[in-house]
Amino acid sequence: MGSTVGPRGRTSRFVTGAVALLTAATLATACGSGNGDARGDGGGAANATGVDDGATLTMWTRAATRPQSEALVEAYNASHRNKVELTVVPTDDYQAKVGAAAGSRDLPDLFASDVVFVPNYTSSGLFADLTERVDALPFADDLARSHIEAGTYEDKKYVVPHTLDLSVLFYNKDLYRKAKLDPDDPPATLGEWDEQARAVDALGGGVDGTFFGGNCGGCGVFTWWPSIWAAGEEVLNEDGTGARLASATARKVYDTYRGWVDDGIVAPGAKDETGTTWTGVFPKGKVGIMPMPSTTLGLMPKDLDLGVAPIPGPDGGRSTFVGGDAIGIAATSGKADQAWNFLAWTLGDTAQVDIVAAHKDVVARTDLASNKYSDADPRLVAVNELVADGRTPYALKFGQTFNDPNGPWLSLMRDAVFGDGASLEEDNEAVTESLAD
């Protein structure tokens, strides 16, 4: 199905407010440290492996991806002369910290970013150009396209995948058996999801059909949009300045969720769930089926018999929101060759299989979807294979529009599901105004 994000040919746009990035003039001064233009050249000629000569590299990542980042850094440091010094920044503080560091020419050699915010950094010149280096990798064509394309600006590549988190359905096979449902036949349409959730909910005794984060904008884009994409539709226009969230397909999605709310199929607390405890409901074993981040699979109780399935559209199809982090080399770094050595290694077979796959995380390469760890758990193979069907939306005003609790998307969500949906057109227009602001 591919990604909604195409090669970047857009003029540079700069984010204001919470992202706190700088003006073009300031960035040209801040980032022009001998690496060519403001975007840097990544050290010059293509080199698939980089240099391992004992350099000390600095790296930042947000707290949301700390376990994966720490595992990769620890293994790299144990096997290379170069050493990476990792700093984990609170997720809510990350964007402001990067913006401030860009202004003071104090960016680390390497820094990761939530993939939906990568376009802000590429268009503002914070990353070095990695095009030749990425293209020189023997597995370049197998890298997660969603992350590569999100980090492509004016036909140049600036980042590589760091961590991947996909939205998928988790369903409780024990509850399915009790509800006389086939535990090996998850829903292939939104209607079947509705039927199965209701069948489990009818068990009673504290069991509920489904759950979702009803006061969490990020949860909504992560788990609702795939049902729209699965129908072959887009949620935004190509340059991320217009919303298409009031379509007939989108209405079917909202109507299904509203039906669950109205009929008490949803576990208690959905209306007030801000995302902080969203993923802690399913592991308790009292919910039949719900969309979840794939990264939580390895954290599930060992005695919980759960299945994994793609998120379907109203009439079929499948898709997923490919989230997680991408990572690049700062345009101000004087150690681009050494930094690339770390990045290239993280994408290699050893790191992807023996570290990423071993921890039940999603691998960054489609050619490694089936590996010695995932083959022992068909659920992992299913998750890994979904990367090819996934989307990562592109919008420079993504944060203020979709993640901000005071943003217009959350209002649309709540009006559509906890209200009567009558203001959907107006809410969609408010989203567009925020995106284009």
Side-chain angles (χ1 to χ4, degrees):
M1 190 172 292
S3 170
T4 57
V5 185
R8 300 290 167 245
R10 303 174 177 85
T11 56
S12 182
R13 299 164 64 98
F14 296 90
V15 177
T16 57
V19 178
L21 294 181
L22 307 175
T23 65
T26 303
L27 281 166
T29 301
C31 298
S33 60
N35 280 331
D37 67 12
R39 287 175 182 80
D41 63 4
N47 186 329
T49 59
V51 174
D52 182 22
D53 61 359
T56 297
L57 302 165
T58 54
M59 172 179 161
W60 290 355
T61 189
R62 61 193 181 111
T65 57
R66 178 174 190 156
Q68 298 96 326
S69 299
E70 287 184 338
L72 288 168
V73 167
E74 181 179 350
Y76 178 83
N77 287 347
S79 57
H80 291 73
R81 294 177 63 196
N82 292 343
K83 303 302 175 189
V84 177
E85 295 181 346
L86 177 66
T87 298
V88 178
V89 180
T91 299
D92 291 344
D93 300 337
Y94 196 75
Q95 292 173 322
K97 185 174 179 66
V98 170
S104 60
R105 300 184 62 176
D106 196 27
L107 285 167
D109 297 299
L110 296 145
F111 68 97
S113 168
D114 185 327
V115 67
V116 298
F117 297 127
V118 165
N120 299 113
Y121 300 142
T122 59
S123 63
S124 297
L126 301 193
F127 285 120
D129 180 5
L130 302 179
T131 307
E132 292 186 7
R133 296 182 187 272
V134 172
D135 290 346
L137 292 170
F139 43 77
D141 291 340
D142 299 312
L143 293 174
R145 299 312 305 169
S146 55
H147 282 49
I148 294 296
E149 291 176 357
T152 298
Y153 180 74
E154 295 182 341
D155 299 320
K156 294 182 180 180
K157 301 180 179 75
Y158 292 97
V159 301
V160 296
H162 182 52
T163 63
L164 278 78
D165 194 8
L166 278 58
S167 51
V168 294
L169 289 179
F170 281 12
Y171 64 100
N172 187 313
K173 290 190 173 185
D174 285 335
L175 294 180
Y176 265 50
R177 294 185 186 97
K178 292 178 181 179
K180 309 302 182 186
L181 297 170
D182 185 345
D184 297 316
D185 189 23
T189 68
L190 191 58
E192 291 180 2
W193 178 1
D194 178 64
E195 292 172 1
Q196 293 176 15
R198 289 175 181 274
V200 173
D201 190 79
L203 294 173
V207 171
D208 293 286
T210 191
F211 188 73
F212 63 93
N215 200 24
C216 170
C219 303
V221 299
F222 192 62
T223 60
W224 296 14
W225 288 7
S227 288
I228 301 174
W229 290 328
E233 296 187 9
E234 306 298 341
V235 295
L236 305 175
N237 63 7
E238 185 181 2
D239 64 1
T241 59
R244 299 176 178 174
L245 294 163
S247 67
T249 296
R251 289 176 186 272
K252 290 179 181 178
V253 176
Y254 310 146
D255 288 348
T256 301
Y257 278 79
R258 186 167 65 249
W260 292 335
V261 171
D262 290 344
D263 297 340
I265 308 300
V266 184
K271 186 174 183 178
D272 298 320
E273 177 56 63
T274 60
T276 56
T277 59
W278 165 52
T279 60
V281 176
F282 187 85
K284 297 176 182 178
K286 295 293 187 179
V287 170
I289 180 169
M290 66 175 283
M292 292 279 287
S294 62
T295 51
T296 61
L297 180 58
L299 305 175
M300 291 294 113
K302 301 300 182 183
D303 60 349
L304 182 59
D305 187 7
L306 68 94
V308 174
I311 296 177
D315 300 312
R318 57 187 243 169
S319 190
T320 182
F321 189 115
V322 184
D325 281 27
I327 188 170
I329 300 170
T332 50
S333 175
K335 303 174 183 177
D337 288 332
Q338 294 87 346
W340 178 250
N341 183 260
F342 171 74
L343 294 184
W345 176 85
T346 65
L347 299 171
D349 290 20
T350 297
Q352 286 296 305
V353 175
D354 293 333
I355 298 174
V356 177
H359 286 83
K360 295 190 176 184
D361 287 324
V362 181
V363 293
R365 288 167 46 188
T366 56
D367 61 321
L368 297 178
S370 177
N371 57 71
K372 64 183 180 181
Y373 293 102
S374 65
D375 287 351
D377 187 344
R379 300 172 304 182
L380 293 175
V381 177
V383 170
N384 287 336
E385 290 178 343
L386 265 178
V387 173
D389 296 311
R391 310 283 188 99
T392 301
Y394 173 87
L396 291 179
K397 302 299 177 66
F398 194 95
Q400 72 178 40
T401 306
F402 300 111
N403 291 104
D404 190 327
N406 296 313
W409 161 246
L410 186 57
S411 294
L412 185 155
M413 278 181 60
R414 292 179 66 80
D415 289 344
V417 173
F418 300 108
D420 59 8
S423 61
L424 184 57
E425 292 290 349
E426 292 84 355
D427 289 338
N428 183 73
E429 182 58 33
V431 173
T432 292
E433 290 176 359
S434 178
L435 289 169
D437 185 10

